[in-house]
Amino acid sequence: MITLQHYLVLSILLFMTGAIGMVVRRNMLIAVMSMQIMMIGACLSVLAFSRWNLLPEGKAIAMLVVAASSAVALVGVAFVLSVFKDRKSASTDELNSLRG
Amino acid sequence: MHQVLFYTFGALSVICAAAVVSRKNLQAACLALVLFVMSISVLFSILSSNYVSVAVILIMIVSVALPYCLAAIAIGRRSPSRRYAIRFERILGASAVLYLALVLCVAIAKPPFLPAPMTGEAFSASPALGRILFSSCALPLEMVAVAIFTSAIAASIIRKRRTHPDDEGIIL
């Protein structure tokens, strides 16, 4: 029998994977993708809570979070490409100054 | 059957998330992200959130994974592990075909194996979601719409900005 705890453990695993990717990897594109994984893991827990607590508002919240994460991804990819164009590298180690 | 679907696609989503984080090849990481979104949409569908599942597929793959793939092609052009990337693409293609076959089976068979909604038809119905979105969640919906519009403008401005006049930029 699959319970709420199963979904919560899965969402924690996904969230932790994304957090590790954001901390460990130096590539900015991987960092943005890890952020997407974290957001989807959070959405999974929201949907699981909404299913088990009989609250359909959770689905609306999950949809809005997914849409907002697409906006974050748009700006993130544009930023990564802009940095790569300027510095010929997508590594976060190269971002050591705020000079434009 | 619910357990089989949960464990299969849960394990697949964790494996794909680990592949996104761990792979050196950017193209392979982007393709792993696509497979991750597919598997997570099945999990959403198991949770009686079919509309959110379709929205995740549409939003994430069309508007997120495609720019990722283009950026990965631009950035990781000289990737040394192309052979492994091609092998991974084959695995991804086979998984996508299996996924589509599963979706077709589910759509055709009207499966008794998917769990029944806990609150009856009202929980999984899309009109209820629409009513919530345009009544109690109207303000967040408008804010997200403004955020997407602003981010589209910001992305185009960031891409147009040139710090060096002689820079030719990246052709995508």
Side-chain angles (χ1 to χ4, degrees), chain A residues 1 6-7 10 21 25 32 36 47 51 54 59 71 75 77 82 84-86, chain B residues 2-3 21 23 43-44 46 48-49 60 68 116 118-119 123 161 163 167 170:
Chain A
M1 182 67 186
H6 289 81
Y7 284 99
L10 181 60
R25 292 300 300 270
V32 178
Q36 298 285 317
L47 280 177
R51 163 83 190 260
L54 314 179
K59 291 195 291 187
V75 178
V77 170
S82 176
F84 182 76
K85 187 177 73 174
D86 285 345
Chain B
H2 182 198
Q3 295 181 4
V21 169
R23 289 193 72 87
L43 289 176
F44 284 177
I46 291 173
S48 304
S49 306
M60 295 298 287
Y68 279 144
M118 294 181 69
T119 56
F123 184 78
R161 186 178 62 89
T163 55
D167 194 358
I170 301 164

PDB file of all heavy atoms in Angstrom, chain A residues 1 6-7 10 21 25 32 36 47 51 54 59 71 75 77 82 84-86, chain B residues 2-3 21 23 43-44 46 48-49 60 68 116 118-119 123 161 163 167 170:
ATOM      1  N   MET A   1       0.848  -1.195   0.000  1.00  0.00           N
ATOM      2  CA  MET A   1       0.000   0.000   0.000  1.00  0.00           C
ATOM      3  C   MET A   1       0.892   1.257   0.000  1.00  0.00           C
ATOM      4  O   MET A   1       1.760   1.406   0.852  1.00  0.00           O
ATOM      5  CB  MET A   1      -0.894  -0.019   1.246  1.00  0.00           C
ATOM      6  CG  MET A   1      -1.852   1.145   1.337  1.00  0.00           C
ATOM      7  SD  MET A   1      -3.082   1.052   0.050  1.00  0.00           S
ATOM      8  CE  MET A   1      -3.929   2.597   0.296  1.00  0.00           C
ATOM      9  N   HIS A   6       5.421   7.581   1.449  1.00  0.00           N
ATOM     10  CA  HIS A   6       6.200   7.172   0.280  1.00  0.00           C
ATOM     11  C   HIS A   6       6.452   8.377  -0.637  1.00  0.00           C
ATOM     12  O   HIS A   6       7.578   8.594  -1.101  1.00  0.00           O
ATOM     13  CB  HIS A   6       5.456   6.076  -0.482  1.00  0.00           C
ATOM     14  CG  HIS A   6       5.436   4.758   0.218  1.00  0.00           C
ATOM     15  ND1 HIS A   6       4.553   4.477   1.229  1.00  0.00           N
ATOM     16  CD2 HIS A   6       6.197   3.663   0.061  1.00  0.00           C
ATOM     17  CE1 HIS A   6       4.763   3.241   1.650  1.00  0.00           C
ATOM     18  NE2 HIS A   6       5.753   2.727   0.958  1.00  0.00           N
ATOM     19  N   TYR A   7       5.406   9.135  -0.870  1.00  0.00           N
ATOM     20  CA  TYR A   7       5.570  10.305  -1.752  1.00  0.00           C
ATOM     21  C   TYR A   7       6.471  11.352  -1.103  1.00  0.00           C
ATOM     22  O   TYR A   7       7.239  12.016  -1.795  1.00  0.00           O
ATOM     23  CB  TYR A   7       4.207  10.905  -2.084  1.00  0.00           C
ATOM     24  CG  TYR A   7       3.456  10.101  -3.105  1.00  0.00           C
ATOM     25  CD1 TYR A   7       2.478   9.204  -2.725  1.00  0.00           C
ATOM     26  CD2 TYR A   7       3.733  10.233  -4.462  1.00  0.00           C
ATOM     27  CE1 TYR A   7       1.794   8.449  -3.661  1.00  0.00           C
ATOM     28  CE2 TYR A   7       3.064   9.482  -5.397  1.00  0.00           C
ATOM     29  CZ  TYR A   7       2.088   8.601  -4.994  1.00  0.00           C
ATOM     30  OH  TYR A   7       1.429   7.847  -5.921  1.00  0.00           O
ATOM     31  N   LEU A  10      10.015  10.242  -1.513  1.00  0.00           N
ATOM     32  CA  LEU A  10      10.454  10.457  -2.900  1.00  0.00           C
ATOM     33  C   LEU A  10      10.731  11.934  -3.174  1.00  0.00           C
ATOM     34  O   LEU A  10      11.739  12.289  -3.808  1.00  0.00           O
ATOM     35  CB  LEU A  10       9.381   9.933  -3.859  1.00  0.00           C
ATOM     36  CG  LEU A  10       9.700  10.067  -5.345  1.00  0.00           C
ATOM     37  CD1 LEU A  10      10.955   9.302  -5.697  1.00  0.00           C
ATOM     38  CD2 LEU A  10       8.536   9.587  -6.179  1.00  0.00           C
ATOM     39  N   GLY A  21      23.173  18.864  -6.383  1.00  0.00           N
ATOM     40  CA  GLY A  21      23.636  19.326  -7.694  1.00  0.00           C
ATOM     41  C   GLY A  21      23.926  20.812  -7.709  1.00  0.00           C
ATOM     42  O   GLY A  21      24.892  21.258  -8.338  1.00  0.00           O
ATOM     43  N   ARG A  25      28.024  20.912  -8.269  1.00  0.00           N
ATOM     44  CA  ARG A  25      28.426  21.142  -9.650  1.00  0.00           C
ATOM     45  C   ARG A  25      28.814  22.588  -9.877  1.00  0.00           C
ATOM     46  O   ARG A  25      28.233  23.509  -9.288  1.00  0.00           O
ATOM     47  CB  ARG A  25      27.292  20.747 -10.608  1.00  0.00           C
ATOM     48  CG  ARG A  25      27.023  19.270 -10.655  1.00  0.00           C
ATOM     49  CD  ARG A  25      28.221  18.470 -11.097  1.00  0.00           C
ATOM     50  NE  ARG A  25      28.670  18.845 -12.412  1.00  0.00           N
ATOM     51  CZ  ARG A  25      28.242  18.291 -13.543  1.00  0.00           C
ATOM     52  NH1 ARG A  25      27.378  17.314 -13.469  1.00  0.00           N
ATOM     53  NH2 ARG A  25      28.688  18.702 -14.700  1.00  0.00           N
ATOM     54  N   VAL A  32      21.057  25.375 -12.769  1.00  0.00           N
ATOM     55  CA  VAL A  32      19.675  25.788 -13.057  1.00  0.00           C
ATOM     56  C   VAL A  32      18.777  24.564 -13.192  1.00  0.00           C
ATOM     57  O   VAL A  32      17.638  24.537 -12.707  1.00  0.00           O
ATOM     58  CB  VAL A  32      19.640  26.660 -14.327  1.00  0.00           C
ATOM     59  CG1 VAL A  32      18.219  27.049 -14.661  1.00  0.00           C
ATOM     60  CG2 VAL A  32      20.464  27.906 -14.132  1.00  0.00           C
ATOM     61  N   GLN A  36      15.398  23.229 -11.032  1.00  0.00           N
ATOM     62  CA  GLN A  36      14.134  22.707 -11.548  1.00  0.00           C
ATOM     63  C   GLN A  36      13.758  21.400 -10.843  1.00  0.00           C
ATOM     64  O   GLN A  36      12.590  21.184 -10.502  1.00  0.00           O
ATOM     65  CB  GLN A  36      14.264  22.444 -13.049  1.00  0.00           C
ATOM     66  CG  GLN A  36      14.562  23.661 -13.876  1.00  0.00           C
ATOM     67  CD  GLN A  36      13.365  24.528 -14.026  1.00  0.00           C
ATOM     68  OE1 GLN A  36      12.282  24.006 -14.249  1.00  0.00           O
ATOM     69  NE2 GLN A  36      13.523  25.812 -13.885  1.00  0.00           N
ATOM     70  N   LEU A  47       1.382  18.074  -4.129  1.00  0.00           N
ATOM     71  CA  LEU A  47       0.304  17.269  -4.710  1.00  0.00           C
ATOM     72  C   LEU A  47      -0.058  16.087  -3.813  1.00  0.00           C
ATOM     73  O   LEU A  47      -1.238  15.738  -3.689  1.00  0.00           O
ATOM     74  CB  LEU A  47       0.727  16.767  -6.087  1.00  0.00           C
ATOM     75  CG  LEU A  47       0.601  17.778  -7.214  1.00  0.00           C
ATOM     76  CD1 LEU A  47       1.110  17.191  -8.514  1.00  0.00           C
ATOM     77  CD2 LEU A  47      -0.835  18.204  -7.390  1.00  0.00           C
ATOM     78  N   ARG A  51      -3.672  15.465  -2.190  1.00  0.00           N
ATOM     79  CA  ARG A  51      -4.434  14.239  -2.444  1.00  0.00           C
ATOM     80  C   ARG A  51      -4.867  13.585  -1.127  1.00  0.00           C
ATOM     81  O   ARG A  51      -5.999  13.148  -0.986  1.00  0.00           O
ATOM     82  CB  ARG A  51      -3.568  13.289  -3.255  1.00  0.00           C
ATOM     83  CG  ARG A  51      -4.022  11.851  -3.279  1.00  0.00           C
ATOM     84  CD  ARG A  51      -5.095  11.641  -4.315  1.00  0.00           C
ATOM     85  NE  ARG A  51      -5.682  10.335  -4.186  1.00  0.00           N
ATOM     86  CZ  ARG A  51      -5.365   9.300  -4.935  1.00  0.00           C
ATOM     87  NH1 ARG A  51      -4.482   9.444  -5.869  1.00  0.00           N
ATOM     88  NH2 ARG A  51      -5.956   8.158  -4.759  1.00  0.00           N
ATOM     89  N   LEU A  54      -7.366  15.897   0.855  1.00  0.00           N
ATOM     90  CA  LEU A  54      -8.595  16.225   0.121  1.00  0.00           C
ATOM     91  C   LEU A  54      -8.723  17.714  -0.163  1.00  0.00           C
ATOM     92  O   LEU A  54      -9.789  18.303  -0.012  1.00  0.00           O
ATOM     93  CB  LEU A  54      -9.831  15.730   0.886  1.00  0.00           C
ATOM     94  CG  LEU A  54      -9.762  14.306   1.428  1.00  0.00           C
ATOM     95  CD1 LEU A  54     -11.029  13.961   2.167  1.00  0.00           C
ATOM     96  CD2 LEU A  54      -9.492  13.324   0.334  1.00  0.00           C
ATOM     97  N   LYS A  59      -3.445  21.300  -6.284  1.00  0.00           N
ATOM     98  CA  LYS A  59      -3.168  21.137  -7.710  1.00  0.00           C
ATOM     99  C   LYS A  59      -2.957  22.493  -8.375  1.00  0.00           C
ATOM    100  O   LYS A  59      -2.083  22.647  -9.243  1.00  0.00           O
ATOM    101  CB  LYS A  59      -4.316  20.386  -8.374  1.00  0.00           C
ATOM    102  CG  LYS A  59      -4.390  18.949  -7.936  1.00  0.00           C
ATOM    103  CD  LYS A  59      -5.271  18.129  -8.824  1.00  0.00           C
ATOM    104  CE  LYS A  59      -6.717  18.517  -8.683  1.00  0.00           C
ATOM    105  NZ  LYS A  59      -7.593  17.611  -9.429  1.00  0.00           N
ATOM    106  N   ALA A  71       9.491  30.277 -15.893  1.00  0.00           N
ATOM    107  CA  ALA A  71       9.998  31.649 -15.988  1.00  0.00           C
ATOM    108  C   ALA A  71      11.419  31.740 -15.450  1.00  0.00           C
ATOM    109  O   ALA A  71      12.291  32.398 -16.045  1.00  0.00           O
ATOM    110  CB  ALA A  71       9.073  32.591 -15.220  1.00  0.00           C
ATOM    111  N   VAL A  75      14.987  32.874 -17.663  1.00  0.00           N
ATOM    112  CA  VAL A  75      15.991  33.874 -17.281  1.00  0.00           C
ATOM    113  C   VAL A  75      17.331  33.193 -16.997  1.00  0.00           C
ATOM    114  O   VAL A  75      18.399  33.716 -17.369  1.00  0.00           O
ATOM    115  CB  VAL A  75      15.495  34.669 -16.055  1.00  0.00           C
ATOM    116  CG1 VAL A  75      16.546  35.662 -15.613  1.00  0.00           C
ATOM    117  CG2 VAL A  75      14.228  35.400 -16.389  1.00  0.00           C
ATOM    118  N   VAL A  77      18.614  30.376 -18.279  1.00  0.00           N
ATOM    119  CA  VAL A  77      19.306  29.968 -19.505  1.00  0.00           C
ATOM    120  C   VAL A  77      19.849  31.189 -20.239  1.00  0.00           C
ATOM    121  O   VAL A  77      20.980  31.167 -20.758  1.00  0.00           O
ATOM    122  CB  VAL A  77      18.348  29.150 -20.391  1.00  0.00           C
ATOM    123  CG1 VAL A  77      18.957  28.920 -21.760  1.00  0.00           C
ATOM    124  CG2 VAL A  77      18.057  27.819 -19.741  1.00  0.00           C
ATOM    125  N   SER A  82      24.526  34.374 -21.697  1.00  0.00           N
ATOM    126  CA  SER A  82      25.191  35.678 -21.694  1.00  0.00           C
ATOM    127  C   SER A  82      26.568  35.592 -21.042  1.00  0.00           C
ATOM    128  O   SER A  82      27.547  36.143 -21.563  1.00  0.00           O
ATOM    129  CB  SER A  82      24.295  36.680 -20.957  1.00  0.00           C
ATOM    130  OG  SER A  82      24.934  37.914 -20.864  1.00  0.00           O
ATOM    131  N   PHE A  84      28.388  32.906 -20.774  1.00  0.00           N
ATOM    132  CA  PHE A  84      29.258  32.104 -21.643  1.00  0.00           C
ATOM    133  C   PHE A  84      29.762  32.925 -22.826  1.00  0.00           C
ATOM    134  O   PHE A  84      30.897  32.765 -23.270  1.00  0.00           O
ATOM    135  CB  PHE A  84      28.483  30.886 -22.133  1.00  0.00           C
ATOM    136  CG  PHE A  84      29.304  29.970 -22.986  1.00  0.00           C
ATOM    137  CD1 PHE A  84      30.239  29.131 -22.414  1.00  0.00           C
ATOM    138  CD2 PHE A  84      29.150  29.942 -24.356  1.00  0.00           C
ATOM    139  CE1 PHE A  84      30.999  28.290 -23.194  1.00  0.00           C
ATOM    140  CE2 PHE A  84      29.909  29.112 -25.145  1.00  0.00           C
ATOM    141  CZ  PHE A  84      30.835  28.270 -24.559  1.00  0.00           C
ATOM    142  N   LYS A  85      28.923  33.829 -23.305  1.00  0.00           N
ATOM    143  CA  LYS A  85      29.349  34.659 -24.430  1.00  0.00           C
ATOM    144  C   LYS A  85      30.457  35.606 -24.003  1.00  0.00           C
ATOM    145  O   LYS A  85      31.411  35.840 -24.746  1.00  0.00           O
ATOM    146  CB  LYS A  85      28.148  35.452 -24.944  1.00  0.00           C
ATOM    147  CG  LYS A  85      28.428  36.230 -26.208  1.00  0.00           C
ATOM    148  CD  LYS A  85      27.180  36.910 -26.688  1.00  0.00           C
ATOM    149  CE  LYS A  85      26.843  38.086 -25.784  1.00  0.00           C
ATOM    150  NZ  LYS A  85      25.706  38.869 -26.307  1.00  0.00           N
ATOM    151  N   ASP A  86      30.351  36.134 -22.776  1.00  0.00           N
ATOM    152  CA  ASP A  86      31.349  37.096 -22.314  1.00  0.00           C
ATOM    153  C   ASP A  86      32.648  36.413 -21.906  1.00  0.00           C
ATOM    154  O   ASP A  86      33.732  36.887 -22.216  1.00  0.00           O
ATOM    155  CB  ASP A  86      30.797  37.884 -21.124  1.00  0.00           C
ATOM    156  CG  ASP A  86      29.783  38.913 -21.568  1.00  0.00           C
ATOM    157  OD1 ASP A  86      29.749  39.195 -22.780  1.00  0.00           O
ATOM    158  OD2 ASP A  86      29.032  39.405 -20.719  1.00  0.00           O
TER     159      ASP A  86
ATOM    160  N   HIS B   2      -0.847   0.020  -8.654  1.00  0.00           N
ATOM    161  CA  HIS B   2      -0.443   1.345  -8.171  1.00  0.00           C
ATOM    162  C   HIS B   2       0.970   1.309  -7.620  1.00  0.00           C
ATOM    163  O   HIS B   2       1.795   2.183  -7.905  1.00  0.00           O
ATOM    164  CB  HIS B   2      -1.441   1.794  -7.103  1.00  0.00           C
ATOM    165  CG  HIS B   2      -1.164   3.153  -6.554  1.00  0.00           C
ATOM    166  ND1 HIS B   2      -1.699   3.592  -5.383  1.00  0.00           N
ATOM    167  CD2 HIS B   2      -0.402   4.161  -7.011  1.00  0.00           C
ATOM    168  CE1 HIS B   2      -1.268   4.815  -5.133  1.00  0.00           C
ATOM    169  NE2 HIS B   2      -0.488   5.190  -6.112  1.00  0.00           N
ATOM    170  N   GLN B   3       1.268   0.243  -6.860  1.00  0.00           N
ATOM    171  CA  GLN B   3       2.615   0.137  -6.282  1.00  0.00           C
ATOM    172  C   GLN B   3       3.674  -0.040  -7.361  1.00  0.00           C
ATOM    173  O   GLN B   3       4.747   0.569  -7.297  1.00  0.00           O
ATOM    174  CB  GLN B   3       2.660  -1.036  -5.315  1.00  0.00           C
ATOM    175  CG  GLN B   3       1.772  -0.848  -4.105  1.00  0.00           C
ATOM    176  CD  GLN B   3       1.852  -2.025  -3.160  1.00  0.00           C
ATOM    177  OE1 GLN B   3       2.615  -2.936  -3.368  1.00  0.00           O
ATOM    178  NE2 GLN B   3       1.030  -2.001  -2.133  1.00  0.00           N
ATOM    179  N   VAL B  21      22.340  15.547 -12.413  1.00  0.00           N
ATOM    180  CA  VAL B  21      23.320  16.177 -11.526  1.00  0.00           C
ATOM    181  C   VAL B  21      24.733  15.671 -11.801  1.00  0.00           C
ATOM    182  O   VAL B  21      25.703  16.429 -11.756  1.00  0.00           O
ATOM    183  CB  VAL B  21      22.906  15.912 -10.058  1.00  0.00           C
ATOM    184  CG1 VAL B  21      24.002  16.310  -9.116  1.00  0.00           C
ATOM    185  CG2 VAL B  21      21.641  16.674  -9.741  1.00  0.00           C
ATOM    186  N   ARG B  23      26.131  13.851 -14.567  1.00  0.00           N
ATOM    187  CA  ARG B  23      26.759  13.663 -15.872  1.00  0.00           C
ATOM    188  C   ARG B  23      27.575  14.884 -16.275  1.00  0.00           C
ATOM    189  O   ARG B  23      27.158  16.022 -16.059  1.00  0.00           O
ATOM    190  CB  ARG B  23      25.712  13.354 -16.926  1.00  0.00           C
ATOM    191  CG  ARG B  23      25.125  11.975 -16.774  1.00  0.00           C
ATOM    192  CD  ARG B  23      24.342  11.602 -17.977  1.00  0.00           C
ATOM    193  NE  ARG B  23      25.205  11.324 -19.101  1.00  0.00           N
ATOM    194  CZ  ARG B  23      25.752  10.134 -19.343  1.00  0.00           C
ATOM    195  NH1 ARG B  23      25.506   9.144 -18.548  1.00  0.00           N
ATOM    196  NH2 ARG B  23      26.516   9.954 -20.384  1.00  0.00           N
ATOM    197  N   LEU B  43       3.895  10.169 -12.192  1.00  0.00           N
ATOM    198  CA  LEU B  43       3.617  10.199 -10.748  1.00  0.00           C
ATOM    199  C   LEU B  43       2.498  11.200 -10.437  1.00  0.00           C
ATOM    200  O   LEU B  43       1.641  10.948  -9.588  1.00  0.00           O
ATOM    201  CB  LEU B  43       4.884  10.568  -9.978  1.00  0.00           C
ATOM    202  CG  LEU B  43       5.970   9.492  -9.945  1.00  0.00           C
ATOM    203  CD1 LEU B  43       7.193  10.013  -9.235  1.00  0.00           C
ATOM    204  CD2 LEU B  43       5.457   8.261  -9.233  1.00  0.00           C
ATOM    205  N   PHE B  44       2.505  12.336 -11.129  1.00  0.00           N
ATOM    206  CA  PHE B  44       1.420  13.305 -10.938  1.00  0.00           C
ATOM    207  C   PHE B  44       0.087  12.704 -11.360  1.00  0.00           C
ATOM    208  O   PHE B  44      -0.944  12.945 -10.735  1.00  0.00           O
ATOM    209  CB  PHE B  44       1.693  14.570 -11.749  1.00  0.00           C
ATOM    210  CG  PHE B  44       2.749  15.465 -11.151  1.00  0.00           C
ATOM    211  CD1 PHE B  44       3.151  16.607 -11.806  1.00  0.00           C
ATOM    212  CD2 PHE B  44       3.342  15.169  -9.938  1.00  0.00           C
ATOM    213  CE1 PHE B  44       4.121  17.435 -11.266  1.00  0.00           C
ATOM    214  CE2 PHE B  44       4.316  15.987  -9.392  1.00  0.00           C
ATOM    215  CZ  PHE B  44       4.705  17.129 -10.061  1.00  0.00           C
ATOM    216  N   ILE B  46      -0.697   9.555 -11.298  1.00  0.00           N
ATOM    217  CA  ILE B  46      -1.107   8.588 -10.269  1.00  0.00           C
ATOM    218  C   ILE B  46      -1.799   9.305  -9.115  1.00  0.00           C
ATOM    219  O   ILE B  46      -2.734   8.785  -8.512  1.00  0.00           O
ATOM    220  CB  ILE B  46       0.127   7.810  -9.767  1.00  0.00           C
ATOM    221  CG1 ILE B  46       0.648   6.891 -10.858  1.00  0.00           C
ATOM    222  CG2 ILE B  46      -0.201   6.982  -8.540  1.00  0.00           C
ATOM    223  CD1 ILE B  46       1.947   6.227 -10.497  1.00  0.00           C
ATOM    224  N   SER B  48      -3.906  11.505  -9.227  1.00  0.00           N
ATOM    225  CA  SER B  48      -5.185  12.047  -9.709  1.00  0.00           C
ATOM    226  C   SER B  48      -5.069  13.496 -10.155  1.00  0.00           C
ATOM    227  O   SER B  48      -6.036  14.244 -10.063  1.00  0.00           O
ATOM    228  CB  SER B  48      -6.282  11.926  -8.646  1.00  0.00           C
ATOM    229  OG  SER B  48      -6.412  10.614  -8.243  1.00  0.00           O
ATOM    230  N   SER B  49      -3.902  13.881 -10.612  1.00  0.00           N
ATOM    231  CA  SER B  49      -3.714  15.250 -11.092  1.00  0.00           C
ATOM    232  C   SER B  49      -3.360  15.210 -12.575  1.00  0.00           C
ATOM    233  O   SER B  49      -2.255  15.563 -12.980  1.00  0.00           O
ATOM    234  CB  SER B  49      -2.609  15.950 -10.308  1.00  0.00           C
ATOM    235  OG  SER B  49      -2.880  15.877  -8.938  1.00  0.00           O
ATOM    236  N   MET B  60       7.241  22.058 -19.153  1.00  0.00           N
ATOM    237  CA  MET B  60       8.640  21.748 -18.889  1.00  0.00           C
ATOM    238  C   MET B  60       9.377  21.330 -20.148  1.00  0.00           C
ATOM    239  O   MET B  60      10.513  21.741 -20.375  1.00  0.00           O
ATOM    240  CB  MET B  60       8.742  20.646 -17.836  1.00  0.00           C
ATOM    241  CG  MET B  60       8.220  21.030 -16.493  1.00  0.00           C
ATOM    242  SD  MET B  60       9.110  22.377 -15.745  1.00  0.00           S
ATOM    243  CE  MET B  60      10.617  21.585 -15.281  1.00  0.00           C
ATOM    244  N   TYR B  68      17.170  24.434 -22.675  1.00  0.00           N
ATOM    245  CA  TYR B  68      18.308  23.762 -22.066  1.00  0.00           C
ATOM    246  C   TYR B  68      19.120  23.022 -23.120  1.00  0.00           C
ATOM    247  O   TYR B  68      20.351  23.079 -23.131  1.00  0.00           O
ATOM    248  CB  TYR B  68      17.843  22.768 -21.008  1.00  0.00           C
ATOM    249  CG  TYR B  68      17.521  23.373 -19.682  1.00  0.00           C
ATOM    250  CD1 TYR B  68      16.479  22.891 -18.920  1.00  0.00           C
ATOM    251  CD2 TYR B  68      18.260  24.431 -19.196  1.00  0.00           C
ATOM    252  CE1 TYR B  68      16.161  23.449 -17.699  1.00  0.00           C
ATOM    253  CE2 TYR B  68      17.952  24.985 -17.979  1.00  0.00           C
ATOM    254  CZ  TYR B  68      16.906  24.492 -17.241  1.00  0.00           C
ATOM    255  OH  TYR B  68      16.597  25.043 -16.040  1.00  0.00           O
ATOM    256  N   ALA B 116      -8.483   4.823  -7.501  1.00  0.00           N
ATOM    257  CA  ALA B 116      -9.647   5.689  -7.600  1.00  0.00           C
ATOM    258  C   ALA B 116      -9.401   6.979  -6.830  1.00  0.00           C
ATOM    259  O   ALA B 116      -8.705   6.979  -5.816  1.00  0.00           O
ATOM    260  CB  ALA B 116     -10.871   4.968  -7.027  1.00  0.00           C
ATOM    261  N   MET B 118      -9.732   9.862  -4.235  1.00  0.00           N
ATOM    262  CA  MET B 118     -10.192   9.701  -2.864  1.00  0.00           C
ATOM    263  C   MET B 118     -11.476  10.444  -2.584  1.00  0.00           C
ATOM    264  O   MET B 118     -12.217  10.100  -1.697  1.00  0.00           O
ATOM    265  CB  MET B 118      -9.096  10.170  -1.908  1.00  0.00           C
ATOM    266  CG  MET B 118      -7.865   9.302  -1.972  1.00  0.00           C
ATOM    267  SD  MET B 118      -6.631   9.842  -0.833  1.00  0.00           S
ATOM    268  CE  MET B 118      -7.391   9.433   0.703  1.00  0.00           C
ATOM    269  N   THR B 119     -11.729  11.503  -3.354  1.00  0.00           N
ATOM    270  CA  THR B 119     -12.928  12.271  -3.085  1.00  0.00           C
ATOM    271  C   THR B 119     -13.916  12.188  -4.241  1.00  0.00           C
ATOM    272  O   THR B 119     -14.720  13.072  -4.434  1.00  0.00           O
ATOM    273  CB  THR B 119     -12.571  13.733  -2.863  1.00  0.00           C
ATOM    274  OG1 THR B 119     -11.863  14.186  -4.011  1.00  0.00           O
ATOM    275  CG2 THR B 119     -11.738  13.898  -1.643  1.00  0.00           C
ATOM    276  N   PHE B 123     -12.581  15.599  -7.247  1.00  0.00           N
ATOM    277  CA  PHE B 123     -11.178  15.893  -6.966  1.00  0.00           C
ATOM    278  C   PHE B 123     -10.352  15.919  -8.242  1.00  0.00           C
ATOM    279  O   PHE B 123      -9.494  16.773  -8.419  1.00  0.00           O
ATOM    280  CB  PHE B 123     -10.617  14.843  -6.004  1.00  0.00           C
ATOM    281  CG  PHE B 123      -9.210  15.131  -5.582  1.00  0.00           C
ATOM    282  CD1 PHE B 123      -8.954  16.082  -4.615  1.00  0.00           C
ATOM    283  CD2 PHE B 123      -8.146  14.486  -6.172  1.00  0.00           C
ATOM    284  CE1 PHE B 123      -7.663  16.367  -4.230  1.00  0.00           C
ATOM    285  CE2 PHE B 123      -6.853  14.757  -5.792  1.00  0.00           C
ATOM    286  CZ  PHE B 123      -6.610  15.698  -4.826  1.00  0.00           C
ATOM    287  N   ARG B 161      22.143  41.889 -24.939  1.00  0.00           N
ATOM    288  CA  ARG B 161      23.158  42.761 -24.383  1.00  0.00           C
ATOM    289  C   ARG B 161      24.540  42.334 -24.861  1.00  0.00           C
ATOM    290  O   ARG B 161      24.893  41.163 -24.847  1.00  0.00           O
ATOM    291  CB  ARG B 161      23.120  42.690 -22.857  1.00  0.00           C
ATOM    292  CG  ARG B 161      24.028  43.670 -22.161  1.00  0.00           C
ATOM    293  CD  ARG B 161      23.850  43.539 -20.670  1.00  0.00           C
ATOM    294  NE  ARG B 161      24.231  42.212 -20.209  1.00  0.00           N
ATOM    295  CZ  ARG B 161      25.463  41.886 -19.847  1.00  0.00           C
ATOM    296  NH1 ARG B 161      26.417  42.791 -19.900  1.00  0.00           N
ATOM    297  NH2 ARG B 161      25.739  40.672 -19.430  1.00  0.00           N
ATOM    298  N   THR B 163      28.591  43.267 -24.260  1.00  0.00           N
ATOM    299  CA  THR B 163      29.560  44.063 -23.513  1.00  0.00           C
ATOM    300  C   THR B 163      30.760  44.407 -24.375  1.00  0.00           C
ATOM    301  O   THR B 163      31.379  45.431 -24.187  1.00  0.00           O
ATOM    302  CB  THR B 163      30.036  43.282 -22.280  1.00  0.00           C
ATOM    303  OG1 THR B 163      30.534  42.023 -22.715  1.00  0.00           O
ATOM    304  CG2 THR B 163      28.901  43.073 -21.319  1.00  0.00           C
ATOM    305  N   ASP B 167      32.297  41.406 -30.263  1.00  0.00           N
ATOM    306  CA  ASP B 167      31.889  40.040 -29.965  1.00  0.00           C
ATOM    307  C   ASP B 167      30.821  39.595 -30.951  1.00  0.00           C
ATOM    308  O   ASP B 167      29.833  40.263 -31.176  1.00  0.00           O
ATOM    309  CB  ASP B 167      31.328  39.975 -28.527  1.00  0.00           C
ATOM    310  CG  ASP B 167      31.216  38.539 -28.054  1.00  0.00           C
ATOM    311  OD1 ASP B 167      31.530  37.637 -28.856  1.00  0.00           O
ATOM    312  OD2 ASP B 167      30.830  38.349 -26.904  1.00  0.00           O
ATOM    313  N   ILE B 170      26.924  33.914 -29.820  1.00  0.00           N
ATOM    314  CA  ILE B 170      26.715  32.499 -30.084  1.00  0.00           C
ATOM    315  C   ILE B 170      25.536  32.361 -31.029  1.00  0.00           C
ATOM    316  O   ILE B 170      24.496  32.972 -30.819  1.00  0.00           O
ATOM    317  CB  ILE B 170      26.428  31.754 -28.782  1.00  0.00           C
ATOM    318  CG1 ILE B 170      27.598  31.948 -27.841  1.00  0.00           C
ATOM    319  CG2 ILE B 170      26.199  30.276 -29.028  1.00  0.00           C
ATOM    320  CD1 ILE B 170      27.247  31.582 -26.421  1.00  0.00           C
TER     321      ILE B 170
END
